[in-house]
Amino acid sequence: MKSVVIKLYPESAKILRHNRQYIPGGIVSVNRTADPEICFVRGDGPYIWDVEGNRYIDYHFAFAPHFLGHNDPYVSEAVRDVIKSKVSLFGSGPSRLEGELAELFCRYVKTADSVQFVNTGSEATSQAIRLARAVTGRDHIIVVQGSYNGWHNDVSCNLMTPLSTLGPRLSPGEYGYASISAGVPLAHRSLVHIVNFNDLESVRYVCEKYPIAALITEPILQNIGVVKPQPEYLEGLRALADALGFVLIFDEVKTGFRHALGGYAEICGVRPDVATYGKAIANGYPIAAVAGKKELMDWFVHPEPAKRVLLAGTYNAHPVPTAAAIATITRLAMNDGEVYRHVERLGEKMEGGLAKIFRSFGLQAVVARQGSAFCIYFMGHCPTDWHDLATNHNFADDNSFRQALVRRGIYFFPLAAKQCSICFAHNDEDVETTLQLISEALSEVFDELSNQPQRNLREAASD
Ligand SMILES: Cc1ncc(COP(=O)(O)O)c(C=O)c1O
């Protein structure tokens, strides 16, 4: 099958030009800036359509919330029902829906004694860190290089930091706060300590130097692809938190509900003190959660006002996303894990198919995968931390490959090292078509059967 190659996006360009008159940059989240800039207008299951009428098999899913697929019928019906029911956002007293969602959440997320709902992952991580500071009476925190935890001052740093800024690997040691935003006060930066993933020695080193309230990390780094914890790493963090008295926060905004109903904590068997959730919890509707051990969560309603952690929000547990979350969790729990079995099977098929293609091309490339989440790295092994990835992955080839795929109607977000997601609505044919088009795209980027010399692209990591 030879695909149609999409080349031009004139209508998208027109919309962007229009938007730029009123919105700085023309797009409401800077993270959505992409090359090519395409305006999408419709999503159904695993497919999205752009304004020019081109259809794509989606693997981006808006940075991963649509785990069931776009506009999943079960979730959409729950949303229609709640709107029809005339339940509104009352903003006074408890709501039945929030209680129903909380009960469902705690039934499946076994590591959570209780839960609070907010609107976004950034709100959730901000609340989790504030809670940790209140409980420990300490101000300093540890953030992991390559873990994205939101846009607020504590964590808007050290994602894909160029190694020229970061410097060589330090272990034990810490890296400087490399802000991904202007406007973070210097005083605030001094409270944030950066260590690499999979590096317990540096956690211990930092804890010996500063009073650490919390360590926050994605349990799998899924904002730089799929970088998995090494055996004993998460257990080691748990042991250090217990020994040194800091709060262990798992940021499960990307891993939660995607890898298991109980999040990655259920899979790895390590219980964080507090965890944050978002994205797949409501299949694309805006709701997020902070959950954890009762003795910490109760600080949100501490009887002493001076110790009470303020958790408030006009839109918290708005009925529309709350109904969507109830429907999503209910759907995920149906038929004894049918959703998880399906995406694991397709994930395996994708991984196996890719390995075959890489062999046939004689290409130095690997697939890192956890269930439905995967990433292709143009290097000889799966990376274990940002230094490893930034040193060895071929970012320029990855960008070219992704753009060649987009031109063929396969939507991998066109930015190197970004994670791809399989959803429940994908089927075998989608994966087969994708593999075929990946072969074509690789042929365009690489000479078949001749492994191009891997360029050293340290600087490209700043893309
Ligand atoms: C792991 C993780 N934590 C937190 C966030 C922030 O969530 P939000 O964009 O909903 O504020 C993200 C967003 O991509 C994320 O991937």
Side-chain angles (χ1 to χ4, degrees):
M1 185 189 70
K2 201 78 182 167
S3 58
V4 176
V5 176
I6 301 160
K7 285 203 183 106
L8 296 168
Y9 309 94
E11 289 302 315
S12 297
K14 214 189 275 176
I15 289 167
L16 189 58
R17 269 198 307 277
H18 169 269
N19 291 8
R20 279 196 178 128
Q21 296 174 73
Y22 309 103
I23 300 170
I27 299 176
V28 297
S29 171
V30 75
N31 291 350
R32 295 180 194 167
T33 308
D35 177 15
E37 290 295 10
I38 303 174
C39 175
F40 295 104
V41 291
R42 188 174 153 228
D44 190 7
Y47 310 119
I48 47 177
W49 285 261
D50 68 20
V51 67
E52 338 283 335
N54 301 304
R55 194 194 81 163
Y56 303 76
I57 304 178
D58 195 10
Y59 290 91
H60 173 50
F61 290 104
F63 295 103
H66 306 277
F67 181 39
L68 294 170
H70 290 278
N71 289 309
D72 175 76
Y74 190 82
V75 177
S76 296
E77 194 183 336
V79 167
R80 275 194 298 272
D81 286 351
V82 81
I83 290 172
K84 266 196 238 145
S85 78
K86 302 259 187 209
V87 172
S88 184
L89 175 69
F90 301 112
S92 179
S95 90
R96 236 192 238 149
L97 278 175
E98 70 197 21
E100 198 183 320
L101 176 57
E103 184 184 354
L104 203 57
F105 184 102
C106 292
R107 185 184 311 155
Y108 292 114
V109 182
K110 300 271 192 278
T111 50
D113 295 329
S114 66
V115 58
Q116 270 288 12
F117 298 109
V118 290
N119 307 286
T120 65
S122 298
E123 287 171 69
T125 55
S126 165
Q127 287 289 353
I129 291 168
R130 182 190 265 182
L131 182 66
R133 286 185 168 130
V135 171
T136 59
R138 305 172 183 174
D139 286 344
H140 294 250
I141 62 164
I142 299 176
V143 169
V144 169
Q145 177 69 45
S147 180
Y148 180 67
N149 310 112
W151 49 255
H152 52 90
N153 287 355
D154 279 319
V155 293
S156 57
C157 59
N158 298 76
L159 182 56
M160 293 184 163
T161 319
L163 293 188
S164 53
T165 303
L166 203 58
R169 178 187 301 288
L170 286 173
S171 182
E174 65 172 304
Y175 304 101
Y177 183 107
S179 193
I180 53 175
S181 173
V184 179
L186 280 177
H188 201 107
R189 296 175 194 208
S190 67
L191 300 176
V192 181
H193 306 280
I194 315 297
V195 301
N196 250 326
F197 195 58
N198 282 320
D199 182 0
L200 293 172
E201 280 316 301
S202 291
V203 175
R204 186 187 294 281
Y205 167 89
V206 170
C207 286
E208 279 165 6
K209 289 182 74 173
Y210 314 95
I212 297 295
L215 178 146
I216 183 165
T217 186
E218 296 175 75
I220 300 176
L221 301 186
Q222 286 188 201
N223 281 280
I224 52 170
V226 176
V227 177
K228 291 196 185 187
Q230 298 291 92
E232 305 301 319
Y233 171 63
L234 297 175
E235 291 81 351
L237 288 182
R238 179 67 274 165
L240 285 174
D242 292 339
L244 302 169
F246 64 81
V247 173
L248 179 60
I249 304 171
F250 280 178
D251 179 353
E252 296 238 37
V253 166
K254 262 195 146 177
T255 52
F257 296 91
R258 172 167 290 278
H259 298 320
L261 274 165
Y264 193 68
E266 179 185 314
I267 293 173
C268 70
V270 175
R271 186 180 185 188
D273 299 301
V274 179
T276 55
Y277 303 82
K279 306 227 181 206
I281 192 176
N283 206 51
Y285 285 87
I287 188 164
V290 191
K293 295 180 177 169
K294 179 174 166 46
E295 60 269 29
L296 280 87
M297 293 295 289
D298 282 352
W299 281 62
F300 286 126
V301 285
H302 201 288
E304 293 174 48
K307 293 187 172 173
R308 198 174 303 150
V309 178
L310 175 65
L311 190 146
T314 301
Y315 297 110
N316 287 359
H318 184 286
V320 169
T322 303
I326 292 169
T328 302
I329 297 175
T330 305
R331 183 66 194 89
L332 293 177
M334 276 180 193
N335 304 327
D336 199 22
E338 162 194 37
V339 170
Y340 296 101
R341 282 194 303 279
H342 179 78
V343 296
E344 172 59 28
R345 193 178 62 71
L346 292 189
E348 251 178 41
K349 182 171 180 143
M350 181 72 81
E351 185 178 349
L354 287 170
K356 230 187 245 173
I357 292 169
F358 299 154
R359 271 197 303 276
S360 79
F361 276 76
L363 188 64
Q364 193 182 66
V366 290
V367 184
R369 181 177 73 88
Q370 177 69 40
S372 61
F374 69 97
C375 186
I376 296 169
Y377 294 106
F378 293 101
M379 56 192 274
H381 60 277
C382 292
T384 55
D385 60 27
W386 173 245
H387 274 83
D388 187 7
L389 200 170
T391 305
N392 294 303
H393 177 51
N394 194 322
F395 285 77
D397 286 346
D398 191 356
N399 280 325
S400 305
F401 165 64
R402 285 165 184 260
Q403 285 169 348
L405 270 185
V406 171
R407 285 195 293 277
R408 287 169 169 79
I410 300 295
Y411 202 75
F412 279 26
F413 190 69
L415 182 64
K418 280 295 168 192
Q419 179 231 306
C420 299
S421 301
I422 290 168
C423 79
F424 182 55
H426 280 124
N427 59 31
D428 284 277
E429 202 185 323
D430 294 323
V431 173
E432 286 152 20
T433 305
T434 303
L435 289 168
Q436 165 74 35
L437 295 175
I438 283 175
S439 272
E440 279 188 25
L442 287 173
S443 300
E444 187 187 317
V445 177
F446 300 97
D447 286 336
E448 210 158 334
L449 295 174
S450 80
N451 190 3
Q452 298 278 308
Q454 299 283 304
R455 295 192 291 278
N456 186 338
L457 290 163
R458 286 172 197 218
E459 295 308 316
S462 62
D463 282 358

